[in-house]
């Protein structure tokens, strides 16, 4: 039985991971849970999965959580705040920590888990994008495993099983095309938050669904693939595949191409990250290619979706630039979700901030440099957008 700690237990990744744990109670048990602020759901997860330790990130919610489980035994250790989440990440005999926290907030708990010798099921790509230059040496130093739970990177990882070192030549990351793939470019200026939250294929959290609509998600995944699999950016390509059946492909030195296929269901990459190298039998719906009919492919449209090129540029610049790109994106998406900026302002904000970081890019950033760059980038986005009555005026910033 594998002992698991889950960070971000009430989010999309968290609830799908717990769905797996509930289906396989003889394979997995929960040691720790951490969530942002959803007291009701967290309390019901405590009753169902009986963790030893729990943290709620919003400190003001701790009394409500205590109240909600006061009649329950065994009582878990209850903690709050960022420090509480870090304590959960490093606690006890958990072998694997699933990182389902949204954004760069996952970085410090992930580092704590690695330093405590735990394998990481990486469902938080921002950790690696912002902190790759710090996280990867720690993975090596503590001899822990980094198991990708992002569907594309899980696909690549699955295809790589049995491929010898040096055998990989190129990565082809598939992209669904997001919520606006069938929209004309000139309509994108008018999109609403509700429009952006309608993903055609995948069920995911709000932030990543907006990232899918801008295709920044794919750009971030290019950087994630670079850190995970060590290829240069020239050898990581994006291909649009609207059906999301092929979750990504690898090309080997001899031009042979391998792909991993399945219905778009996040539980599959999560299960593999937890069961690797084993394969667990499931009764989930099996892929039916005849029912699917056809699979199609297209080139990404960089005019319509500038975020991909911004991500490639930040990845190639390296140093603290990916952290800046990621933080500017997180802040811009948050403002879009609050209806304070428009959809097309998201790439404008990111470009504005990345341009300003060029002179100050740390080629070899420490954790403190990364955290400082992250904070600076968020402030720059807020400064650039705060005084705009008509938010489309951000165009004048360029
Ligand atoms: Mg993905």
């Amino acid at each position: 039985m594998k002992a698991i700690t889950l960070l971000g237990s009430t989010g999309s990744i968290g609830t799908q991971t717990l769905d797996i744990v509930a289906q396989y109670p003889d394979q997995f048990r929960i040691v720790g849970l951490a969530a942002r602020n959803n007291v009701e759901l967290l309390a019901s997860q405590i009753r169902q999965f009986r963790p030893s330790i729990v943290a709620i990130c919003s400190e003001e919610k701790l009394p409500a959580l205590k109240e909600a489980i006061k009649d329950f035994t065994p009582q878990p250790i209850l903690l709050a705040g960022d420090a509480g989440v870090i304590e959960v990440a490093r606690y006890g005999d958990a072998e694997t920590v699933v990182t389902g926290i949204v954004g760069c907030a996952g970085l410090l708990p992930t580092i704590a888990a690695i330093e405590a010798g735990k394998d990481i099921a990486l469902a938080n790509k921002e950790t690696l994008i912002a902190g790759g230059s710090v996280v990867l040496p720690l993975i090596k130093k503590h001899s822990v495993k980094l198991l990708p739970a992002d569907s594309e990177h899980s696909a690549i990882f699955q295809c790589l099983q049995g491929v010898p070192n040096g055998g990989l030549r190129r990565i082809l990351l598939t992209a669904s095309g997001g919520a606006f793939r069938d929209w004309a470019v000139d309509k994108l200026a008018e999109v609403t938050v509700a429009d952006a939250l309608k993903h055609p294929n995948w069920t995911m959290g709000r932030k990543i669904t907006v990232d899918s609509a801008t295709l920044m998600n794919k750009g971030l995944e290019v950087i994630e693939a670079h850190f995970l699999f060590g290829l240069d950016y020239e050898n990581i390509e994006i291909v649009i595949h609207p059906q999301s059946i092929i979750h990504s492909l690898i090309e080997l030195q001899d031009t042979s191409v391998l792909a991993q296929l399945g219905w778009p269901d996040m539980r599959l990459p999560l299960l593999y990250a937890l069961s690797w190298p084993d394969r667990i039998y499931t009764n989930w719906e099996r892929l039916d290619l005849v029912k699917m009919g056809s699979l199609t492919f297209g080139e990404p449209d960089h005019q319509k979706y500038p975020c991909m090129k911004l991500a490639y540029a930040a990845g190639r610049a390296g140093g603290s630039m990916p952290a800046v790109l990621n933080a500017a994106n997180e802040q811009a998406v948050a403002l879009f979700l609050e209806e304070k900026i428009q959809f097309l302002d998201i790439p404008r904000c990111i470009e504005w901030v990345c341009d300003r970081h060029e002179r100050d890019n740390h080629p070899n950033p420490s954790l403190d440099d990364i955290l400082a760059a992250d904070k600076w980038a968020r402030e720059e986005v807020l400064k650039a957008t705060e005084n705009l009555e008509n938010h489309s005026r951000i165009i004048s910033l360029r």
Side-chain angles (χ1 to χ4, degrees), residues 241-261:
H241 168 46
Q243 297 83 14
S244 298
I245 296 296
I246 297 182
H247 298 144
S248 278
L249 314 89
I250 60 169
E251 183 188 348
L252 304 177
Q253 297 296 355
D254 57 7
T255 73
S256 185
V257 172
L258 306 182
Q260 186 264 335
L261 286 72

Side-chain angles (χ1 to χ4, degrees), residues 262-285:
W263 296 119
D265 180 343
M266 274 311 293
R267 291 178 308 170
L268 202 47
L270 283 167
L271 177 63
Y272 190 62
L274 296 176
S275 69
W276 178 87
D278 295 329
R279 293 283 186 175
I280 292 178
Y281 172 89
T282 78
N283 59 4
W284 300 343
E285 187 186 358

Side-chain angles (χ1 to χ4, degrees), residues 30-33 42-43 45-56 62 65-66 68-79 88 91:
I30 292 292
V31 174
L33 294 176
L42 183 56
Q45 290 176 345
I46 292 169
R47 289 172 191 277
Q48 185 177 356
F49 296 97
R50 312 168 75 85
S52 310
I53 187 166
V54 174
I56 187 150
L62 185 60
L65 181 63
K66 280 185 177 157
I69 59 159
K70 68 173 184 214
D71 61 339
F72 177 73
T73 48
Q75 280 278 313
I77 302 165
L78 286 182
L79 303 169
V88 169
Y91 182 83

Side-chain angles (χ1 to χ4, degrees), residues 128-375:
L128 209 50
I129 289 153
S133 53
V134 170
V135 169
L136 291 178
L138 281 178
I139 293 275
K140 213 168 173 186
K141 180 177 165 197
H142 294 277
S143 311
V144 298
K145 289 179 212 77
L146 188 57
L147 299 154
D150 203 349
S151 63
E152 295 77 3
H153 305 77
S154 174
I156 295 160
F157 181 61
Q158 292 182 55
C159 291
L160 279 171
Q161 302 298 309
V163 173
N165 274 343
L168 178 63
R169 179 164 170 180
R170 184 169 61 134
I171 284 171
L172 291 158
L173 281 176
T174 52
S176 68
F180 303 127
R181 62 191 185 195
D182 301 323
W183 290 45
V185 186
D186 54 0
K187 293 268 177 239
L188 289 185
E190 304 155 19
V191 308
T192 65
V193 171
D195 293 330
L197 290 178
K198 281 181 212 135
H199 195 282
N201 302 346
W202 295 93
T203 312
M204 303 180 293
R206 283 156 60 89
K207 190 260 178 184
I208 188 172
T209 304
V210 175
D211 285 348
S212 297
T214 61
L215 282 177
M216 180 52 99
N217 184 50
K218 211 50 55 179
L220 296 175
E221 287 178 352
V222 166
I223 302 174
E224 186 185 11
H226 166 78
F227 281 124
L228 279 172
F229 306 111
L231 281 193
D232 292 338
Y233 286 96
E234 295 77 79
N235 298 315
I236 305 172
E237 291 174 22
I238 297 169
V239 61
I240 302 295
H241 168 46
Q243 297 83 14
S244 298
I245 296 296
I246 297 182
H247 298 144
S248 278
L249 314 89
I250 60 169
E251 183 188 348
L252 304 177
Q253 297 296 355
D254 57 7
T255 73
S256 185
V257 172
L258 306 182
Q260 186 264 335
L261 286 72
W263 296 119
D265 180 343
M266 274 311 293
R267 291 178 308 170
L268 202 47
L270 283 167
L271 177 63
Y272 190 62
L274 296 176
S275 69
W276 178 87
D278 295 329
R279 293 283 186 175
I280 292 178
Y281 172 89
T282 78
N283 59 4
W284 300 343
E285 187 186 358
R286 295 160 78 185
L287 182 62
D288 183 341
L289 286 174
V290 176
K291 184 171 154 191
M292 201 53 233
S294 61
L295 302 178
T296 57
F297 307 93
E299 232 177 324
D301 183 343
H302 293 285
Q303 292 293 107
K304 186 172 168 184
Y305 298 110
C307 284
M308 286 178 285
K309 287 221 159 141
L310 295 174
Y312 270 103
R316 287 192 166 107
S320 48
M321 190 64 90
V324 165
L325 171 96
N326 176 66
N329 180 59
E330 281 187 32
Q331 188 62 68
V333 170
L335 290 171
F336 171 70
L337 285 169
E338 291 166 23
E339 300 183 332
K340 290 185 175 154
I341 63 170
Q342 294 177 358
F343 185 73
L344 291 179
D345 294 335
I346 298 171
R348 290 179 191 131
C349 288
I350 298 164
E351 188 174 8
W352 164 258
V353 176
C354 286
D355 281 353
R356 257 139 212 82
H357 187 62
E358 241 164 63
R359 295 174 292 154
D360 306 321
N361 190 11
H362 288 271
N364 208 350
S366 66
L367 180 58
D368 286 344
D369 295 332
I370 287 167
L371 295 175
D374 177 279
K375 184 164 176 276

Side-chain angles (χ1 to χ4, degrees), residues 189 342 344-345 348-349 351-352 384-385 388 390-398:
Q342 294 177 358
L344 291 179
D345 294 335
R348 290 179 191 131
C349 288
E351 188 174 8
W352 164 258
T385 54
L388 297 173
N390 174 355
H391 296 300
S392 60
R393 260 193 265 159
I394 196 174
I395 296 167
S396 66
L397 289 172
R398 301 182 74 180

